[in-house]
Amino acid sequence: MMRVEEIEVTIDRQGQVVVAVRGIKGAACLALTKALEQALGGQILQREMTAEALESPSTGVEDANHLEIGKPGL
């Protein structure tokens, strides 16, 4: 079975951005979202790492990385 890797980006009416990463194990999700965080030009308001995200990539358990990015002045 092929593993699915996803990045879901949600932007609310106030311009708050929430990014969710699924299917990327370990700290790789942080490297994956770094360029996206920089491209959005905001600062990280909150980062929530799940227990699965902290596991070794060899465990076969999917992880999720959720973060909120706020634009200065919002």
Side-chain angles (χ1 to χ4, degrees):
M1 183 167 96
M2 188 173 171
R3 192 175 90 201
V4 176
E5 297 177 351
E6 299 177 315
I7 299 176
E8 179 182 327
V9 179
T10 306
I11 305 171
D12 70 15
R13 293 176 189 227
Q14 289 75 38
Q16 292 293 107
V17 179
V18 177
V19 177
V21 177
R22 293 180 201 86
I24 306 294
K25 295 171 181 27
C29 59
L30 296 174
L32 184 65
T33 60
K34 184 174 184 167
L36 180 58
E37 294 165 20
Q38 292 173 344
L40 291 168
Q43 62 188 31
I44 304 303
L45 300 177
Q46 176 183 359
R47 183 181 308 273
E48 177 184 331
M49 301 294 290
T50 64
E52 293 84 7
L54 302 175
E55 292 186 21
S56 170
S58 64
T59 63
V61 177
E62 290 186 355
D63 75 348
N65 172 20
H66 299 274
L67 58 95
E68 294 180 23
I69 302 172
K71 298 223 179 227
L74 287 182

